[in-house]
Amino acid sequence: MTHHLFVTQGNSDIPRWREAFPLARDCRPAMARAQAGKDDHVWVMSNVDDWGVLVNNLSRRGAIVAVLSYTPDSEEALQALACGARGYAHALSSPESLRQIQLVISNQGIWVLPELMAKVVGSTFRALGGESRVHEDTLAALTARERAVALSVAAGNSNKRVARELDITERTVKAHLGAVFRKLQVRDRMQLILMLSRQPVTEDLERDD
Amino acid sequence: MTHHLFVTQGNSDIPRWREAFPLARDCRPAMARAQAGKDDHVWVMSNVDDWGVLVNNLSRRGAIVAVLSYTPDSEEALQALACGARGYAHALSSPESLRQIQLVISNQGIWVLPELMAKVVGSTFRALGGESRVHEDTLAALTARERAVALSVAAGNSNKRVARELDITERTVKAHLGAVFRKLQVRDRMQLILMLSRQPVTEDLERDD
DNA sequence: ACTCACCCTGTCCTTCGGTCCAATACCCCG
DNA sequence: CGGGGTATTGGACCGAAGGACAGGGTGAGT
């Protein structure tokens, strides 16, 4: 059968893992390295020494690895994924979350904190030179004129300036801009800028008050 | 209840989707755009026009989107993810695979072809030297409060929202913001965003009329 | 002809953003 | 202690932004 291991550095207590997976065993890095094999599930704390190397080894041997961190950040998440981990989450995730994660990654899925997702994918996309392919897509939904207005606005120009630039009335600029907002589902020029200059945007939309 | 849609371009036959999800309906992009909402599951073929935009819209509205392609490649996969899709697979995946994918992505997971995963994440990590350290320089000139305001504004928030966030008056936000504008030599919040979300800025700034 | 999509413009009105001119309070430093 | 920097807020003012409502013009299809 497959093993199920928690790898911790020292005598740190194992938060709610025990609760999530009663059958699992906790161990030290060396032990994991020795025991884990194909299809085993291994959870590695990001505070163990050389966790990257460990994760790499394990996943290379066919183990299904998830990394848990007390201080999750996108950079570490990327590193974890790059080392072959299939999951990355907060170490204090609830037992339910942990089981959900296990479900996902044991089915060939990837699991990262939702808020990190955007960042990870974003930087990945940029890193691959795919650069502004997205924009072309989002902008593709616009008419030629709307696109021109959107781009100018996204460059930080005021409506008046855009008007002069395109040699139309400020009123017309507003009209086009309104259409852009509708089509791209943003509330104002700020979010337009963010959308076109990319990523963050956390969880805007809806509710301003 | 939640919808379950297959979005195809034209009269292409729906491979084995029917078999995997008997209850699902297939439709055109426009229909999907109109019907799909929060928590709906939508499968989009990568040969429909502007699938990127469509996926963007849908996922932004809370739908769970997966992209299927007859010719999967890492670039397209990344694009799909960047647009908010949670899954990317071959259009001719077996019904079992499709169900597995659905399981994964409906549990907050990400699903991409395993061999693409390595490529994508691998190259990323290397290419990800230093990301966004630029800001710390520019932001260093600000007081703690000003910095907080600046960052929130740069995230696309309105003055009112920032006020609530920091639990101060909108008036005070304006005061801090004014200071930020002076110190960073920008005229308004748009240029602030541009300054904080990219690096170049080369631009003129000057002259609006 | 007629519809449809796009482009352009107008007025009216509300809210938001930014600046000027204040004032109060805190804290650190000389 | 007095002076400078910071944080906070008030009021007033004005221009920018964006929505609501209403048009007029073109060209491509049907």
Side-chain angles (χ1 to χ4, degrees):
Chain A
M1 66 155 271
T2 68
H3 294 102
H4 199 134
L5 304 172
F6 291 139
V7 181
T8 59
Q9 183 64 284
N11 36 18
S12 71
D13 54 315
I14 321 97
R16 356 209 173 166
W17 306 350
R18 198 51 86 200
E19 191 180 335
F21 307 104
L23 297 179
R25 290 178 301 131
D26 63 310
C27 62
R28 301 294 151 271
M31 204 185 311
R33 207 181 297 263
Q35 296 189 356
K38 185 154 175 49
D39 295 329
D40 288 343
H41 287 80
V42 186
W43 303 77
V44 180
M45 281 298 302
S46 71
N47 59 8
V48 312
D49 294 334
D50 293 328
W51 61 268
V53 179
L54 175 62
V55 169
N56 210 312
N57 276 344
L58 297 178
S59 60
R60 197 173 289 277
R61 299 216 304 270
I64 296 173
V65 185
V67 173
L68 297 174
S69 171
Y70 280 115
T71 57
D73 70 87
S74 58
E75 184 142 337
E76 200 179 54
L78 251 182
Q79 191 177 351
L81 293 178
C83 290
R86 309 199 60 84
Y88 179 82
H90 198 290
L92 297 180
S93 300
S94 69
E96 294 74 41
S97 295
L98 292 176
R99 274 194 289 265
Q100 188 184 42
I101 295 171
Q102 200 223 8
L103 174 68
V104 167
I105 63 180
S106 62
N107 280 286
Q108 304 228 47
I110 306 289
W111 204 102
V112 293
L113 290 173
E115 62 269 26
L116 291 185
M117 236 330 264
K119 257 185 223 171
V120 169
V121 173
S123 53
T124 300
F125 196 66
R126 270 194 301 277
L128 282 200
E131 198 52 67
S132 51
R133 202 103 195 104
V134 197
H135 308 172
E136 292 169 25
D137 277 341
T138 51
L139 290 177
L142 309 178
T143 68
R145 221 47 174 159
E146 289 163 353
R147 190 159 34 239
V149 171
L151 287 175
S152 183
V153 164
N157 294 326
S158 66
N159 287 344
K160 192 179 300 187
R161 195 165 169 65
V162 175
R164 263 199 310 279
E165 213 169 76
L166 301 181
D167 196 35
I168 54 180
T169 325
E170 188 176 345
R171 182 60 194 80
T172 309
V173 173
K174 288 186 180 181
H176 288 310
L177 204 43
V180 171
F181 292 159
R182 257 185 296 104
K183 292 185 180 178
L184 300 190
Q185 313 243 299
V186 296
R187 255 198 324 280
D188 52 36
R189 61 211 297 115
M190 295 304 137
Q191 303 200 331
L192 212 211
I193 294 183
L194 289 173
M195 171 172 278
L196 294 185
S197 59
R198 217 33 314 231
Q199 280 28 275
V201 182
T202 50
E203 273 304 322
D204 54 299
L205 308 201
E206 333 308 327
R207 294 301 69 172
D208 193 16
D209 57 346
Chain B
M1 67 155 271
T2 68
H3 294 102
H4 200 134
L5 304 172
F6 290 138
V7 182
T8 59
Q9 182 64 285
N11 37 17
S12 71
D13 55 310
I14 320 97
R16 355 209 173 165
W17 306 349
R18 197 53 84 203
E19 191 181 335
F21 307 103
L23 295 179
R25 289 177 301 133
D26 64 311
C27 62
R28 301 292 152 273
M31 202 186 311
R33 207 182 293 265
Q35 296 189 357
K38 187 154 173 46
D39 295 330
D40 287 342
H41 287 80
V42 187
W43 302 78
V44 179
M45 281 298 303
S46 71
N47 59 6
V48 314
D49 293 336
D50 294 331
W51 62 269
V53 179
L54 177 64
V55 169
N56 209 310
N57 277 342
L58 296 178
S59 61
R60 199 172 282 277
R61 298 218 302 271
I64 296 173
V65 186
V67 174
L68 297 174
S69 172
Y70 280 114
T71 57
D73 70 84
S74 59
E75 181 142 339
E76 200 180 51
L78 258 181
Q79 191 177 348
L81 293 178
C83 289
R86 308 196 62 84
Y88 179 82
H90 198 290
L92 297 180
S93 300
S94 69
E96 295 73 40
S97 294
L98 291 176
R99 275 194 287 266
Q100 186 184 45
I101 293 171
Q102 200 222 8
L103 175 67
V104 166
I105 64 180
S106 63
N107 280 284
Q108 304 226 48
I110 306 290
W111 204 101
V112 292
L113 291 173
E115 61 272 26
L116 291 184
M117 193 49 208
K119 201 186 284 184
V120 162
V121 176
S123 57
T124 297
F125 190 63
R126 274 187 297 281
L128 193 71
E131 185 64 37
S132 49
R133 257 59 208 156
V134 196
H135 312 169
E136 289 166 26
D137 277 347
T138 54
L139 291 178
L142 308 179
T143 68
R145 218 50 175 159
E146 289 163 353
R147 189 160 35 239
V149 172
L151 287 175
S152 184
V153 165
N157 295 325
S158 66
N159 287 343
K160 190 179 302 185
R161 197 160 169 58
V162 175
R164 265 199 308 278
E165 213 169 76
L166 303 182
D167 196 36
I168 53 180
T169 319
E170 187 176 347
R171 186 60 197 74
T172 310
V173 173
K174 287 187 178 182
H176 288 310
L177 205 42
V180 171
F181 292 158
R182 255 187 298 104
K183 293 185 181 178
L184 300 190
Q185 310 248 296
V186 295
R187 227 174 319 100
D188 52 38
R189 63 207 298 110
M190 281 187 292
Q191 303 199 330
L192 211 209
I193 291 185
L194 291 173
M195 169 171 282
L196 293 185
S197 60
R198 333 155 308 163
Q199 46 282 37
V201 178
T202 54
E203 320 292 339
D204 44 297
L205 311 193
E206 328 311 324
R207 280 293 79 135
D208 193 16
D209 57 346

